[in-house]
Amino acid sequence: MKILPLNPTENSTPAALRAFLGECAEASRATGRPQLASISVAVDSLDPLAVLESIFEPTQLHFYVERPSEGFAVAGAEAVLEFSASGPTRFAEAKEFIARTLENTIAVGPLEQNFAGPHFFIAGGFATEAAPAAPFPALRLFVPRWQVSRHGDGSVAVAVANLVITPDLPLDLVTAKVWKAHTKFRAFDYSVAPDHGRPSAPKQIVEIGGAGSYQRAVTAALAEIAQGKCEKIVLARAQQLTTNERFHPLGVLNHLRQAYAGCYAFSVANGKGQSFIGATPERLVRVANGRMHTEALAGSAPRGQSASEDAAITRALLHSEKDLREHRVVIGSIERRLADLGLKLELAATPRVLSLANVQHLHTPISAELSAGAHILDLVERLHPTAAVGGTPRAPAVAAIVRLEPFDRGLYAGPLGWVDHRGGGEFFVGIRSALIDGCTATAYAGAGIVAGSDPQKEFAETELKFKALIEALTNA
């Protein structure tokens, strides 16, 4: 990527903007290839979700993620570049697309700041192939026309405009549009944003696969585990909710980010009126400043109704032989999958408890120094699907999921996130999630099955997860 020594904030005039775009057009003419022009500007504090609400279009791609406990939020919409891939090489192909794009990118602005410069937003399905007529491909990557983010205490935000420049681009018209957008971001008017509420309680909830199907699937999984085919199989349920009012993904998202500050609240739109939304506690991997961060999240228990009950449940979880064994399976899987990279993994000897609003999990952070040239998508390719959402050994566990679940997962439990121009980024796992489509929402919840699992108890765990998700989707 070529970085020009131009500060758009200090050179904030239409003439300076047009001169930059003209330079990009000249580069396109000289190379014979379109150039991605990326303009980053530091602006006063913005709420990225409010910005997304104000320009929301169901016919446009968007990607939004926020983790309030870590103080960041980013929204991107309206693709200027888009790429799709499927099959076992989908992440390698995405990595190549990003490299080719950055070879033909010219950027200006405070690129040292978080979320400045071009970002590549990626939504990957659980499986390497998407089902026929699926709402999302097995992998979609896009560079947004505009991106807004905040980080840290939120006092400063970064607005990014991305454009594809060709020699014949009408520079005066494009300059006027970009200038108007950046002017809007510098003094954003929240009063014009619409109010997106949530539907009332669902009039119908249908279990996909029928009543009792999940308990039967768990029983079948336990038989395969007893036969030594797998050590762990993660089985999910799907419920379809129907309401009298249309769901609006951003209305639900606003509730999720307030209710689950410790989670990644997210919305991914396909540009055809459907959105995949959720609040997931599980990070897949983060790369920043030469370090990799991932985690093991497995072993679950409900929250108590009182402080004493909650503390007793937490203690029981920390000493549960079944849950600790399930947790060790996930850690061992991560260690094996990253072994060929020669990383020296750093992790605590015993897990801690991650407490969320309605459930608590055994949790072990894992980090390591990365070697030069390591790419975040190399890590995503190795880690997905984790043993926490797929099982172990990976191949027979995933094959069992395909046989035993009566639906295609789509983006459920898939890797969602972004790659920045430095090769860093962050991916999370799309659990505690739902696919929204008009007046219907398909909600997903799963549980890890190991030796000693009880079908009715696993069903009860998924019921707990469904309850929280349905409350977030509706005003129930």
PDB file of all heavy atoms in Angstrom, residues 226-246:
ATOM      1  N   ALA A 226     -19.005 -42.974  22.462  1.00  0.00           N
ATOM      2  CA  ALA A 226     -18.737 -44.238  23.154  1.00  0.00           C
ATOM      3  C   ALA A 226     -17.991 -45.224  22.259  1.00  0.00           C
ATOM      4  O   ALA A 226     -17.189 -46.035  22.739  1.00  0.00           O
ATOM      5  CB  ALA A 226     -20.054 -44.848  23.642  1.00  0.00           C
ATOM      6  N   GLN A 227     -18.235 -45.140  20.955  1.00  0.00           N
ATOM      7  CA  GLN A 227     -17.557 -46.023  20.000  1.00  0.00           C
ATOM      8  C   GLN A 227     -16.145 -45.541  19.669  1.00  0.00           C
ATOM      9  O   GLN A 227     -15.416 -46.187  18.918  1.00  0.00           O
ATOM     10  CB  GLN A 227     -18.376 -46.108  18.710  1.00  0.00           C
ATOM     11  CG  GLN A 227     -19.729 -46.793  18.877  1.00  0.00           C
ATOM     12  CD  GLN A 227     -20.655 -46.566  17.686  1.00  0.00           C
ATOM     13  OE1 GLN A 227     -20.208 -46.134  16.623  1.00  0.00           O
ATOM     14  NE2 GLN A 227     -21.931 -46.844  17.867  1.00  0.00           N
ATOM     15  N   GLY A 228     -15.752 -44.382  20.221  1.00  0.00           N
ATOM     16  CA  GLY A 228     -14.413 -43.860  19.990  1.00  0.00           C
ATOM     17  C   GLY A 228     -14.248 -43.065  18.717  1.00  0.00           C
ATOM     18  O   GLY A 228     -13.121 -42.715  18.336  1.00  0.00           O
ATOM     19  N   LYS A 229     -15.362 -42.742  18.042  1.00  0.00           N
ATOM     20  CA  LYS A 229     -15.265 -41.978  16.793  1.00  0.00           C
ATOM     21  C   LYS A 229     -14.908 -40.518  17.055  1.00  0.00           C
ATOM     22  O   LYS A 229     -14.244 -39.882  16.242  1.00  0.00           O
ATOM     23  CB  LYS A 229     -16.587 -42.063  16.023  1.00  0.00           C
ATOM     24  CG  LYS A 229     -16.951 -43.466  15.566  1.00  0.00           C
ATOM     25  CD  LYS A 229     -18.291 -43.466  14.829  1.00  0.00           C
ATOM     26  CE  LYS A 229     -18.663 -44.860  14.371  1.00  0.00           C
ATOM     27  NZ  LYS A 229     -19.990 -44.876  13.682  1.00  0.00           N
ATOM     28  N   CYS A 230     -15.379 -39.975  18.153  1.00  0.00           N
ATOM     29  CA  CYS A 230     -15.121 -38.576  18.508  1.00  0.00           C
ATOM     30  C   CYS A 230     -14.921 -38.475  20.015  1.00  0.00           C
ATOM     31  O   CYS A 230     -15.391 -39.326  20.775  1.00  0.00           O
ATOM     32  CB  CYS A 230     -16.300 -37.666  18.112  1.00  0.00           C
ATOM     33  SG  CYS A 230     -16.625 -37.565  16.349  1.00  0.00           S
ATOM     34  N   GLU A 231     -14.280 -37.396  20.430  1.00  0.00           N
ATOM     35  CA  GLU A 231     -14.159 -37.085  21.844  1.00  0.00           C
ATOM     36  C   GLU A 231     -15.231 -36.073  22.254  1.00  0.00           C
ATOM     37  O   GLU A 231     -15.714 -36.095  23.382  1.00  0.00           O
ATOM     38  CB  GLU A 231     -12.764 -36.528  22.134  1.00  0.00           C
ATOM     39  CG  GLU A 231     -12.450 -36.386  23.612  1.00  0.00           C
ATOM     40  CD  GLU A 231     -11.008 -35.982  23.851  1.00  0.00           C
ATOM     41  OE1 GLU A 231     -10.240 -35.873  22.864  1.00  0.00           O
ATOM     42  OE2 GLU A 231     -10.639 -35.783  25.022  1.00  0.00           O
ATOM     43  N   LYS A 232     -15.595 -35.203  21.305  1.00  0.00           N
ATOM     44  CA  LYS A 232     -16.601 -34.180  21.561  1.00  0.00           C
ATOM     45  C   LYS A 232     -17.303 -33.832  20.262  1.00  0.00           C
ATOM     46  O   LYS A 232     -16.670 -33.722  19.206  1.00  0.00           O
ATOM     47  CB  LYS A 232     -15.945 -32.919  22.150  1.00  0.00           C
ATOM     48  CG  LYS A 232     -16.910 -31.759  22.381  1.00  0.00           C
ATOM     49  CD  LYS A 232     -16.181 -30.530  22.913  1.00  0.00           C
ATOM     50  CE  LYS A 232     -17.140 -29.367  23.112  1.00  0.00           C
ATOM     51  NZ  LYS A 232     -16.450 -28.159  23.627  1.00  0.00           N
ATOM     52  N   ILE A 233     -18.623 -33.651  20.332  1.00  0.00           N
ATOM     53  CA  ILE A 233     -19.427 -33.198  19.196  1.00  0.00           C
ATOM     54  C   ILE A 233     -20.325 -32.068  19.686  1.00  0.00           C
ATOM     55  O   ILE A 233     -21.035 -32.234  20.679  1.00  0.00           O
ATOM     56  CB  ILE A 233     -20.307 -34.341  18.620  1.00  0.00           C
ATOM     57  CG1 ILE A 233     -19.443 -35.527  18.178  1.00  0.00           C
ATOM     58  CG2 ILE A 233     -21.142 -33.826  17.451  1.00  0.00           C
ATOM     59  CD1 ILE A 233     -20.247 -36.764  17.813  1.00  0.00           C
ATOM     60  N   VAL A 234     -20.264 -30.940  19.024  1.00  0.00           N
ATOM     61  CA  VAL A 234     -21.095 -29.797  19.412  1.00  0.00           C
ATOM     62  C   VAL A 234     -22.356 -29.799  18.542  1.00  0.00           C
ATOM     63  O   VAL A 234     -22.268 -29.672  17.317  1.00  0.00           O
ATOM     64  CB  VAL A 234     -20.345 -28.466  19.257  1.00  0.00           C
ATOM     65  CG1 VAL A 234     -21.231 -27.300  19.698  1.00  0.00           C
ATOM     66  CG2 VAL A 234     -19.066 -28.489  20.080  1.00  0.00           C
ATOM     67  N   LEU A 235     -23.494 -29.945  19.184  1.00  0.00           N
ATOM     68  CA  LEU A 235     -24.760 -29.995  18.458  1.00  0.00           C
ATOM     69  C   LEU A 235     -25.591 -28.762  18.750  1.00  0.00           C
ATOM     70  O   LEU A 235     -25.704 -28.321  19.893  1.00  0.00           O
ATOM     71  CB  LEU A 235     -25.543 -31.252  18.841  1.00  0.00           C
ATOM     72  CG  LEU A 235     -24.963 -32.584  18.366  1.00  0.00           C
ATOM     73  CD1 LEU A 235     -25.842 -33.730  18.839  1.00  0.00           C
ATOM     74  CD2 LEU A 235     -24.832 -32.607  16.843  1.00  0.00           C
ATOM     75  N   ALA A 236     -26.186 -28.215  17.709  1.00  0.00           N
ATOM     76  CA  ALA A 236     -26.993 -27.002  17.838  1.00  0.00           C
ATOM     77  C   ALA A 236     -28.448 -27.289  17.512  1.00  0.00           C
ATOM     78  O   ALA A 236     -28.784 -28.282  16.857  1.00  0.00           O
ATOM     79  CB  ALA A 236     -26.460 -25.910  16.916  1.00  0.00           C
ATOM     80  N   ARG A 237     -29.290 -26.390  18.000  1.00  0.00           N
ATOM     81  CA  ARG A 237     -30.710 -26.374  17.654  1.00  0.00           C
ATOM     82  C   ARG A 237     -31.009 -25.098  16.883  1.00  0.00           C
ATOM     83  O   ARG A 237     -30.265 -24.118  16.970  1.00  0.00           O
ATOM     84  CB  ARG A 237     -31.584 -26.392  18.920  1.00  0.00           C
ATOM     85  CG  ARG A 237     -31.475 -27.617  19.772  1.00  0.00           C
ATOM     86  CD  ARG A 237     -32.135 -27.381  21.124  1.00  0.00           C
ATOM     87  NE  ARG A 237     -33.545 -27.009  21.019  1.00  0.00           N
ATOM     88  CZ  ARG A 237     -34.260 -26.463  21.999  1.00  0.00           C
ATOM     89  NH1 ARG A 237     -33.668 -26.175  23.163  1.00  0.00           N
ATOM     90  NH2 ARG A 237     -35.529 -26.182  21.835  1.00  0.00           N
ATOM     91  N   ALA A 238     -32.113 -25.102  16.162  1.00  0.00           N
ATOM     92  CA  ALA A 238     -32.587 -23.900  15.476  1.00  0.00           C
ATOM     93  C   ALA A 238     -34.081 -23.768  15.714  1.00  0.00           C
ATOM     94  O   ALA A 238     -34.824 -24.748  15.607  1.00  0.00           O
ATOM     95  CB  ALA A 238     -32.297 -23.968  13.984  1.00  0.00           C
ATOM     96  N   GLN A 239     -34.507 -22.557  16.070  1.00  0.00           N
ATOM     97  CA  GLN A 239     -35.920 -22.257  16.244  1.00  0.00           C
ATOM     98  C   GLN A 239     -36.291 -21.087  15.353  1.00  0.00           C
ATOM     99  O   GLN A 239     -35.564 -20.087  15.295  1.00  0.00           O
ATOM    100  CB  GLN A 239     -36.235 -21.893  17.699  1.00  0.00           C
ATOM    101  CG  GLN A 239     -36.127 -23.049  18.671  1.00  0.00           C
ATOM    102  CD  GLN A 239     -36.585 -22.666  20.078  1.00  0.00           C
ATOM    103  OE1 GLN A 239     -36.655 -21.488  20.415  1.00  0.00           O
ATOM    104  NE2 GLN A 239     -36.888 -23.657  20.889  1.00  0.00           N
ATOM    105  N   GLN A 240     -37.426 -21.202  14.670  1.00  0.00           N
ATOM    106  CA  GLN A 240     -37.898 -20.116  13.810  1.00  0.00           C
ATOM    107  C   GLN A 240     -39.011 -19.362  14.518  1.00  0.00           C
ATOM    108  O   GLN A 240     -40.034 -19.929  14.888  1.00  0.00           O
ATOM    109  CB  GLN A 240     -38.390 -20.641  12.472  1.00  0.00           C
ATOM    110  CG  GLN A 240     -38.691 -19.516  11.487  1.00  0.00           C
ATOM    111  CD  GLN A 240     -39.000 -20.038  10.105  1.00  0.00           C
ATOM    112  OE1 GLN A 240     -40.104 -20.496   9.845  1.00  0.00           O
ATOM    113  NE2 GLN A 240     -38.027 -19.976   9.207  1.00  0.00           N
ATOM    114  N   LEU A 241     -38.768 -18.052  14.717  1.00  0.00           N
ATOM    115  CA  LEU A 241     -39.744 -17.182  15.366  1.00  0.00           C
ATOM    116  C   LEU A 241     -40.489 -16.398  14.288  1.00  0.00           C
ATOM    117  O   LEU A 241     -39.880 -15.913  13.331  1.00  0.00           O
ATOM    118  CB  LEU A 241     -39.053 -16.179  16.288  1.00  0.00           C
ATOM    119  CG  LEU A 241     -38.411 -16.632  17.593  1.00  0.00           C
ATOM    120  CD1 LEU A 241     -37.264 -17.595  17.378  1.00  0.00           C
ATOM    121  CD2 LEU A 241     -37.921 -15.411  18.352  1.00  0.00           C
ATOM    122  N   THR A 242     -41.788 -16.256  14.461  1.00  0.00           N
ATOM    123  CA  THR A 242     -42.596 -15.426  13.567  1.00  0.00           C
ATOM    124  C   THR A 242     -43.310 -14.373  14.400  1.00  0.00           C
ATOM    125  O   THR A 242     -43.880 -14.691  15.451  1.00  0.00           O
ATOM    126  CB  THR A 242     -43.623 -16.268  12.794  1.00  0.00           C
ATOM    127  OG1 THR A 242     -42.950 -17.315  12.094  1.00  0.00           O
ATOM    128  CG2 THR A 242     -44.383 -15.414  11.790  1.00  0.00           C
ATOM    129  N   THR A 243     -43.274 -13.133  13.941  1.00  0.00           N
ATOM    130  CA  THR A 243     -43.923 -12.039  14.649  1.00  0.00           C
ATOM    131  C   THR A 243     -44.873 -11.303  13.706  1.00  0.00           C
ATOM    132  O   THR A 243     -44.868 -11.523  12.486  1.00  0.00           O
ATOM    133  CB  THR A 243     -42.886 -11.031  15.191  1.00  0.00           C
ATOM    134  OG1 THR A 243     -42.211 -10.432  14.084  1.00  0.00           O
ATOM    135  CG2 THR A 243     -41.886 -11.711  16.098  1.00  0.00           C
ATOM    136  N   ASN A 244     -45.694 -10.435  14.272  1.00  0.00           N
ATOM    137  CA  ASN A 244     -46.615  -9.638  13.454  1.00  0.00           C
ATOM    138  C   ASN A 244     -45.931  -8.422  12.831  1.00  0.00           C
ATOM    139  O   ASN A 244     -46.485  -7.795  11.934  1.00  0.00           O
ATOM    140  CB  ASN A 244     -47.797  -9.162  14.307  1.00  0.00           C
ATOM    141  CG  ASN A 244     -48.701 -10.314  14.716  1.00  0.00           C
ATOM    142  OD1 ASN A 244     -48.992 -11.191  13.914  1.00  0.00           O
ATOM    143  ND2 ASN A 244     -49.126 -10.317  15.974  1.00  0.00           N
ATOM    144  N   GLU A 245     -44.747  -8.077  13.345  1.00  0.00           N
ATOM    145  CA  GLU A 245     -44.012  -6.919  12.840  1.00  0.00           C
ATOM    146  C   GLU A 245     -42.681  -7.379  12.272  1.00  0.00           C
ATOM    147  O   GLU A 245     -42.153  -8.421  12.652  1.00  0.00           O
ATOM    148  CB  GLU A 245     -43.752  -5.924  13.975  1.00  0.00           C
ATOM    149  CG  GLU A 245     -44.992  -5.531  14.760  1.00  0.00           C
ATOM    150  CD  GLU A 245     -44.601  -4.938  16.106  1.00  0.00           C
ATOM    151  OE1 GLU A 245     -44.007  -3.851  16.116  1.00  0.00           O
ATOM    152  OE2 GLU A 245     -44.876  -5.588  17.141  1.00  0.00           O
ATOM    153  N   ARG A 246     -42.140  -6.582  11.359  1.00  0.00           N
ATOM    154  CA  ARG A 246     -40.834  -6.899  10.786  1.00  0.00           C
ATOM    155  C   ARG A 246     -39.731  -6.643  11.816  1.00  0.00           C
ATOM    156  O   ARG A 246     -39.780  -5.672  12.565  1.00  0.00           O
ATOM    157  CB  ARG A 246     -40.578  -6.047   9.530  1.00  0.00           C
ATOM    158  CG  ARG A 246     -41.506  -6.356   8.376  1.00  0.00           C
ATOM    159  CD  ARG A 246     -41.189  -5.470   7.189  1.00  0.00           C
ATOM    160  NE  ARG A 246     -39.865  -5.729   6.657  1.00  0.00           N
ATOM    161  CZ  ARG A 246     -39.567  -6.683   5.773  1.00  0.00           C
ATOM    162  NH1 ARG A 246     -40.547  -7.462   5.318  1.00  0.00           N
ATOM    163  NH2 ARG A 246     -38.346  -6.853   5.333  1.00  0.00           N
TER     164      ARG A 246
END
